[in-house]
Amino acid sequence: MPTTNDAETPLVGQTPWSAADPPGQPALFNGGAKVTPESRLPLILLIPLALAGLTILNAGLTRSRSTAHILLASLCAFCVAVLVCTAIGFSLASGSGHAIHLAGRDWNLIGNGRLFALSIDSQPLTLLLQLFSVGFASLISVAGGAERWRIAAVCASTALLAAIIYPLFLFWAQFGWLNQLGFIDGGGAASIQILGGANALCIAWILGPRHGKFTPEGIPTAMPGHSAAFVLFGCLLALVGWFGWTAGSSANGTAAVSVLAAINTVLAAAAAAIAAFVGTRVRFGKPDASLTANGWVAGLVTMSAAAPYVKPAAAILIGFVAGGAIVFAIEIIELRMKVDDPTGAISVHAVAGIWGIMALSIFGNAAFLPQLLGVATLIGIVLPVSYGLNLLMNRFVPYRVSPSGERQGLDLFELGAGAYPEFVIQREDLMRR
Amino acid sequence: MKLAGFLLMPAGFFIAVSAVVLLHTPPAQTVFCLAGFAIEIAGFVFVAREHLPKRSAHHQ
């Protein structure tokens, strides 16, 4: 998301931004035509391709018995997210904000825009970007609860995300106290990716693992996705859409900055995919298609934070580290934490997003403490709030489908029709042992 | 223990933010910020351990 640091004296030892080096303008690539709303709009309109790519990728990583369900759940989540964000969320993430006075400074805590986007006149592009962004964050959560999360519960949880969780943190990171401290998040790595991944973790904890995922001894069983073609095509589609965040989010840059961001996005994704490919080849003897695709997306996620602010060589290194880390992160989350994450959403979005945010302080022009504070806010405040709200919602709208429904497959149980009616779907309980 | 973990997480956050607001020297800010972050991670570990699937009793 576009960031605008104010010019007040910073608290964390960094030099204030000067007029010659405005917030968000990387020093290494000045000059060129200024970015205008007209030039940003075509890039931002690419973002739905990222949504489509992630949806297809998630569908490919789940079993065929729930394919139509996850696609419909993703669509419903997006619909609810944009409607609720327009009605409520945008008002909490815009406006001059309500501030408290503490330690000699004013701390902006929450937006005070008008409900139902009635204050849109001054910020139409911001609302458009927020709609796509909150929709994407909701898709990450849908992926975390795949194959056992009821659609009604998906919609209810997404409403909480779009009304409260997302706009609150977005305001802090974009206009509020976090931004005042110098936190930089170029394309929504924190407000979309890490937040979505944290929400997905809460959903996975509340839902519990899929039936048969862990043996009585706690050993995870493999439940491979049904379509590598979907997975790989989805990640390629996501690249095109990601330019909307990395190249299209910067409101203060020049056209040259946007090009740099696009270059960094491609380089980081490529490096991350190669790292995941090599990592799985070394670790498992053969490269894994789904982990490689996840590595590719992890590279994209890291550039959500850093794309306009780092050099291409740094983007390659950041992506390489992200891709290699994902292989281990997915393993740790499944084997050690015993969290059933069918699509690797928590690792790819939360873990890679954290690396992207912190990498900006290593390779870019962000200070270390503000970036650490941003991550600390997500872990210390956003995650507990998300867990509490979803746990409370679970009491009113049960999240988990019944065991018989899960065995039958959510396509047939919730929708009454499978995604592949002409093919025989294998079921473990029908196989002779 | 889950509740303790969920209390530790915001506690660590407030320690980190307080360090930035109240302390004025960068080394002290960094140390206390990291300490607050470590408390957050400890709380997260407690919560994660409480969500581990319960192992069933050994069946003969």
Side-chain angles (χ1 to χ4, degrees), chain A residues 175-219:
Chain A
F175 302 117
W177 64 272
L178 255 183
N179 184 265
Q180 291 171 267
L181 290 175
F183 178 71
I184 297 177
D185 180 17
S191 56
I192 305 169
Q193 310 298 333
I194 305 176
L195 187 143
N199 203 51
L201 177 61
C202 296
I203 298 300
W205 273 339
I206 292 171
L207 285 170
R210 287 168 290 177
H211 173 75
K213 177 62 185 175
F214 294 100
T215 66
E217 293 76 30
I219 301 170

Side-chain angles (χ1 to χ4, degrees), chain A residues 14-394:
Chain A
Q14 66 195 81
T15 55
W17 298 106
S18 66
D21 191 11
Q25 178 80 9
L28 57 89
F29 222 68
N30 289 321
K34 277 286 187 184
V35 168
T36 62
E38 291 78 16
S39 62
R40 290 176 63 203
L41 182 61
L43 289 169
I44 291 175
L45 290 177
L46 290 175
I47 293 177
L49 288 173
L51 299 165
L54 185 72
T55 303
I56 294 172
L57 189 148
N58 290 337
L61 286 171
T62 52
R63 292 176 293 183
S64 56
R65 69 183 71 178
S66 302
T67 300
H69 185 270
I70 193 172
L71 290 170
L72 181 61
S74 299
L75 183 64
C76 291
F78 179 77
C79 294
V80 171
V82 299
L83 292 173
V84 173
C85 183
T86 301
I88 303 171
F90 184 64
S91 69
L92 300 180
S94 63
S96 55
H98 295 290
I100 60 169
H101 191 81
L102 192 65
R105 290 172 64 97
D106 285 331
W107 301 87
N108 255 342
L109 289 184
I110 196 166
N112 60 352
R114 299 172 68 188
L115 292 176
F116 294 97
L118 292 177
S119 55
I120 191 180
D121 293 338
S122 60
Q123 297 173 303
L125 211 56
T126 302
L127 174 60
L128 182 64
L129 193 53
Q130 282 188 23
L131 294 182
F132 291 153
S133 300
V134 71
F136 192 91
S138 69
L139 297 188
I140 301 172
S141 306
V142 170
E147 297 200 45
R148 66 247 198 242
W149 201 11
R150 297 172 57 236
I151 284 187
V154 169
C155 296
S157 176
T158 302
L160 290 175
L161 178 76
I164 301 171
I165 303 169
Y166 171 80
L168 201 60
F169 182 80
L170 179 66
F171 186 79
W172 293 347
Q174 188 176 8
F175 302 117
W177 64 272
L178 255 183
N179 184 265
Q180 291 171 267
L181 290 175
F183 178 71
I184 297 177
D185 180 17
S191 56
I192 305 169
Q193 310 298 333
I194 305 176
L195 187 143
N199 203 51
L201 177 61
C202 296
I203 298 300
W205 273 339
I206 292 171
L207 285 170
R210 287 168 290 177
H211 173 75
K213 177 62 185 175
F214 294 100
T215 66
E217 293 76 30
I219 301 170
T221 55
M223 290 185 173
H226 82 284
S227 176
F230 278 10
V231 173
L232 294 167
F233 178 69
C235 72
L236 288 173
L237 206 58
L239 169 68
V240 182
W242 227 273
F243 293 132
W245 283 306
T246 54
S249 283
S250 176
N252 299 323
T254 61
V257 170
S258 295
V259 174
L260 172 69
I263 292 170
N264 286 341
T265 304
V266 175
L267 290 176
I274 292 293
F277 182 92
V278 171
T280 53
R281 171 68 176 86
V282 168
R283 190 159 176 76
F284 306 121
K286 291 184 179 179
D288 185 276
S290 61
L291 280 175
T292 303
N294 274 335
W296 170 278
V297 178
L300 295 175
V301 169
T302 58
M303 284 301 109
S304 289
Y309 304 110
V310 298
K311 295 182 180 177
I316 293 173
L317 185 58
I318 292 170
F320 197 80
V321 170
I326 286 310
V327 176
F328 296 99
I330 289 177
E331 213 170 295
I332 289 171
I333 287 175
E334 183 164 301
L335 292 179
R336 304 283 184 190
M337 292 176 61
K338 303 279 194 275
V339 174
D340 184 13
D341 183 12
T343 63
I346 300 165
S347 316
V348 169
H349 297 278
V351 175
I354 290 173
W355 165 236
I357 290 290
M358 300 311 299
L360 198 50
S361 66
I362 301 171
F363 300 101
N365 51 0
F368 175 74
L369 276 188
Q371 301 303 99
L372 183 67
L373 264 181
V375 175
T377 306
L378 285 158
I379 296 175
I381 296 293
V382 173
L383 192 137
V385 168
S386 173
Y387 187 92
L389 288 174
N390 280 290
L391 200 64
L392 187 62
M393 181 60 76
N394 188 32

